[in-house]
Amino acid sequence: LTDKCKEQSIRIHELKMQVEELKTKNLQLEAELEIYRSEFGGATSNQESKEALLDDGDDEANDFVSSGNGVYASEPEVTLPSIHGQSNPLCCALDQNDTLLATGSADSTLKLTFWGKALAPGDDSASRAVDEAVSVPCGAPVICCSFAQDSQNNHLAAAGCMDGHVRVIYCGSEMKPAV
């Protein structure tokens, strides 16, 4: 019984030390947060921080988030159901013409989809758009993707993968949505 008491006493002491360490780390983080707030807008409370994000003031230097016309979407225009099956999509990008959507996933594929097909009349149009997507195997989970931004190379897509490789995919000038 005495040995158990000693073990528990030691464990309690260890836990108290961990609590003290966590309190110290918490104080450090709070101090860093106050420094951050003073550098970016001067907000001193959570409510003031939220208000600073929504501020429509004329001082652009202090705006953390700025908007165009102040109109934001309240619901998605289109949803592509399970585009990567059971795997989570990790990234997406639209091409220069906003017609071709690239999505990278934990399933190690890059999917190229003409997402506008999902807007076609019919209940299954989104499912058809997903079914017609081109799947490009990348060998590792795709964590970022992008399209070429100039008009001469707008048929190129790039996929950054977790294995450290970047794969460049030629989409082909003949790749156009089927009518």
Side-chain angles (χ1 to χ4, degrees):
L1 187 62
T2 307
D3 290 337
K4 273 191 174 183
C5 288
K6 286 181 183 179
E7 286 176 18
Q8 288 180 351
S9 176
I10 291 171
R11 182 67 180 142
I12 290 171
H13 179 70
E14 289 172 352
L15 290 173
K16 285 181 180 179
M17 296 299 289
Q18 287 178 352
V19 167
E20 290 303 315
E21 287 177 26
L22 289 173
K23 284 181 181 178
T24 303
K25 286 181 183 179
N26 187 36
L27 288 173
Q28 289 172 339
L29 289 173
E30 286 177 356
E32 287 178 25
L33 180 61
E34 289 305 314
I35 291 169
Y36 175 78
R37 285 181 176 158
S38 68
E39 289 176 356
F40 297 101
T44 57
S45 70
N46 284 341
Q47 183 61 29
E48 288 180 24
S49 295
K50 289 176 187 173
E51 290 172 5
L53 290 175
L54 301 174
D55 183 22
D56 290 332
D58 292 334
D59 186 11
E60 290 184 26
N62 289 331
D63 283 347
F64 187 71
V65 175
S66 62
S67 64
N69 62 3
V71 178
Y72 300 98
S74 59
E75 58 186 56
E77 187 67 31
V78 66
T79 299
L80 300 172
S82 302
I83 192 163
H84 287 275
Q86 296 298 317
S87 294
N88 292 331
L90 301 175
C91 59
C92 62
L94 283 171
D95 74 341
Q96 187 175 8
N97 300 324
D98 292 338
T99 56
L100 188 60
L101 173 71
T103 58
S105 173
D107 67 358
S108 303
T109 62
L110 181 76
K111 295 266 185 148
L112 300 170
T113 311
F114 287 103
W115 69 272
K117 289 182 174 185
L119 296 172
D123 293 337
D124 66 338
S125 58
S127 296
R128 278 187 288 133
V130 168
D131 292 342
E132 294 173 6
V134 175
S135 184
V136 180
C138 291
V142 179
I143 56 174
C144 63
C145 59
S146 183
F147 285 96
Q149 297 300 310
D150 64 358
S151 60
Q152 294 177 354
N153 294 312
N154 62 356
H155 302 295
L156 294 177
C161 301
M162 286 193 69
D163 63 357
H165 291 88
V166 174
R167 277 125 178 131
V168 178
I169 297 99
Y170 178 69
C171 301
S173 58
E174 68 282 346
M175 189 171 183
K176 293 182 174 50
V179 223

